[in-house]
Amino acid sequence: MGDRWHVEVDRGVCIGSGMCVNHAPSGFALDSARQSHPVTPETDANEPVLTAAEGCPVEAIMITLLGSGEAVFPPEE
C-alpha cells in the first residue's frame, strides 16, 4: 500500500493563479472567489498533486503524510 497524503491550501496566501488546477485538475478546484482548494484533502500520493504544489507561484499548497504529519511539500529544512 502506498503513502496517503493530507493536502491543504493556505487560502490567505493563494492568489488564484489556477496553476494547481492546470497541473492536477482532479486534485484541485477554484471556488467562485478564485481560491484553490483540494478536491479531496486526503489522497493517495500522486505526481500531479506534487507537481501542482511545486508549481504554485506563492507556495500556498502544503502536503503532509497522513498519520505522521511529516512534510512532503514544502520539504522541511
Side-chain angles (χ1 to χ4, degrees):
M1 187 167 156
D3 289 335
R4 297 270 302 157
W5 289 346
H6 177 77
V7 181
E8 289 182 64
V9 175
D10 185 337
R11 295 171 61 86
V13 174
C14 177
I15 61 171
S17 73
M19 294 294 291
C20 56
V21 176
N22 194 31
H23 287 294
S26 64
F28 296 92
L30 296 180
D31 63 18
S32 61
R34 289 205 46 87
Q35 293 287 292
S36 176
H37 60 89
V39 172
T40 306
E42 296 181 1
T43 187
D44 290 332
N46 68 82
E47 194 64 32
V49 168
L50 181 58
T51 300
E54 292 170 339
C56 178
V58 293
E59 294 188 356
I61 301 170
M62 289 86 45
I63 304 171
T64 55
L65 288 175
L66 270 179
S68 72
E70 179 183 341
V72 173
F73 188 87
E76 293 177 345
E77 295 182 26

